[in-house]
Amino acid sequence: MNFDSYTLTKIAKKDRATVYDLFFGPNHPGMHGNFGYVFEMIGTEISNVRPNAGHLHRGFEKIMEQRPWLHNITLVPRICVMDPDPNEVAYCMAIEKIMGVEIPERAKYLRTITLEMSRLTAFLIGIGGAGASLGLYTIMYWTMADRDKILDMFEWITGGRVYHIYNIPGGVRRDAPEGFFEKLSDVLDYLESRLPEYDRLLFENPIIHKRLKGMGYVSKEDAARTGLSGPNLKASGNPYDVRKDTPYAAYPYLDFDVITQEGGDALARVMQVRMEYEQSINIIRQCIKQIPEGEVRLNLGNLNMLKVPEGEAYAKVESSKGEFGYYVVSKGEPKPYRVSVRGPSLPAGFLWAQKHLPTMKIDDVAAWMSAFGICPPDFDK
């Protein structure tokens, strides 16, 4: 006799021998990074979740306290590989606050441009992952190929495709090369032209709506209470965005609104990313149009020998995942005394995993993770 999944689950609850462990990640294609969940399964239903942070990309905060100020800029992008530049900027901003310096205007625009470029690359991974986690691999192939066009631009201006090491205390390493803004404008036009195809294939797909609607619901109040930020917070109706609420870099000079959704579920979070993706294109265009001439960094001497005066500061930026903040303490030595990183993935990846995943079917886990935009290296800094 054939039993459906629900019937098998009811039988399994009466028989302890049918409860088994299932390892979801890090080798599972639906898991991002060296992280995993250990699920206790009854049939195809999850009954308990045990997060396992793994051993790769861990202990950043203590490592940073053993390294010179400048050398940490090569380390911090690894805290979120998919969207690395916000870590560089937040760390540099904290140092600049302690030193009491303000970077040149042109450097502010260059930081903003690269931040939004990084945001676009992360959103493309998120859009593709949303489809692939539900079996729609075509959108993933499209977005990863389109992402390469932005990586080409990163390679041109910074020399690196994934880790850019472009921001330094006092500004940025170098100015944009000749012709960069013209080529970047062409890339933005191309990316915008692709949106109707993304919409037809993914965002207007009735199967995607049916699978994601109602999944992982978070109310407006719970989203704020549990520390969600970024698209996850705004998808529950909270209009908080560090770029607006605590402006930095060139954001005070730009015209954009905080986009929100009201659904609070996985579908709303995916749609939030779609809307913010288009907004980032418009922000970069404004920067290209408004960027002033001038210096791109302050003369702070030999940065390899940089000594930051005694003090402490907290600096935060709006990444594609939400608020990334760096609390930095200096004792006037060649290296930080203390660094603490506030990442946006922890509430979703740990707290909401415990709330949402039990009673969920295993085939929905990858879609749940993708909609939350979880970045595992952020868990155990």
Side-chain angles (χ1 to χ4, degrees), residues 47-289:
S47 61
N48 190 37
V49 181
R50 303 196 306 272
N52 179 12
H55 299 286
L56 179 66
H57 294 341
R58 301 293 172 248
F60 289 104
E61 296 172 332
K62 303 313 292 183
I63 295 173
M64 291 174 71
E65 294 163 15
Q66 311 302 317
R67 294 160 55 101
W69 292 96
L70 184 65
H71 294 190
N72 284 325
I73 297 174
T74 65
L75 180 66
V76 295
R78 290 159 174 80
I79 295 178
C80 188
V81 180
M82 294 178 284
D83 189 9
D85 295 72
N87 290 278
E88 295 180 24
V89 173
Y91 174 66
C92 290
M93 283 172 54
I95 295 173
E96 289 154 4
K97 280 188 176 183
I98 298 173
M99 298 183 70
V101 300
E102 185 172 353
I103 67 173
E105 292 297 297
R106 186 172 178 85
K108 293 179 182 179
Y109 278 88
L110 288 170
R111 277 188 178 179
T112 303
I113 289 171
T114 52
L115 280 169
E116 293 298 324
M117 288 170 57
S118 181
R119 191 179 183 85
L120 288 176
T121 62
F123 281 160
L124 283 168
I125 292 175
I127 292 169
S133 64
L134 297 175
L136 186 60
Y137 289 96
T138 300
I139 188 71
M140 181 186 69
Y141 300 146
W142 284 3
T143 57
M144 293 304 288
D146 291 346
R147 178 175 174 265
D148 260 4
K149 295 184 178 299
I150 309 176
L151 298 187
D152 289 342
M153 300 305 298
F154 266 123
E155 186 176 14
W156 193 8
I157 191 173
T158 72
R161 295 178 68 81
V162 178
Y163 300 132
H164 309 125
I165 327 299
Y166 183 61
N167 297 276
I168 57 175
V172 297
R173 278 196 290 119
R174 61 188 181 194
D175 205 343
E178 184 177 352
F180 176 82
F181 295 128
E182 291 77 6
K183 178 61 177 176
L184 180 58
S185 295
D186 292 340
V187 171
L188 295 176
D189 291 342
Y190 168 79
L191 294 175
E192 191 171 53
S193 73
R194 295 283 281 162
L195 283 172
E197 294 183 82
Y198 292 174
D199 290 342
R200 285 193 293 271
L201 182 60
L202 179 68
F203 296 106
E204 297 171 1
N205 190 322
I207 296 175
I208 301 299
H209 281 248
K210 184 176 180 179
R211 290 289 301 276
L212 296 182
K213 185 69 175 177
M215 178 191 294
Y217 174 74
V218 182
S219 70
K220 182 176 182 178
E221 295 74 22
D222 284 344
R225 181 178 58 83
T226 56
L228 290 180
S229 59
N232 295 330
L233 180 68
K234 287 176 275 190
S236 292
N238 293 284
Y240 173 76
D241 190 306
V242 180
R243 298 173 297 176
K244 275 289 189 182
D245 290 79
T246 313
Y248 55 95
Y251 291 110
Y253 316 135
L254 305 176
D255 181 23
F256 66 98
D257 297 320
V258 179
I259 301 169
T260 61
Q261 306 288 319
E262 296 298 329
D265 57 8
L267 180 62
R269 290 188 281 275
V270 169
M271 293 304 300
Q272 180 71 28
V273 167
R274 162 63 177 83
M275 301 303 292
E276 291 196 30
Y277 177 85
E278 190 170 12
Q279 183 184 64
S280 289
I281 293 175
N282 294 328
I283 288 175
I284 297 175
R285 283 181 173 145
Q286 289 184 56
C287 289
I288 293 173
K289 185 177 180 180

Side-chain angles (χ1 to χ4, degrees), residues 7-53:
T7 305
L8 287 172
T9 300
K10 287 182 66 178
I11 294 173
K13 287 180 178 178
K14 300 177 182 179
D15 182 0
R16 291 186 179 183
T18 60
V19 178
Y20 61 95
D21 283 351
L22 181 65
F23 293 82
F24 190 92
N27 58 327
H28 191 287
M31 176 62 65
H32 314 290
N34 194 56
F35 171 80
Y37 291 115
V38 182
F39 295 130
E40 291 181 12
M41 302 292 301
I42 300 176
T44 60
E45 186 178 289
I46 301 165
S47 61
N48 190 37
V49 181
R50 303 196 306 272
N52 179 12

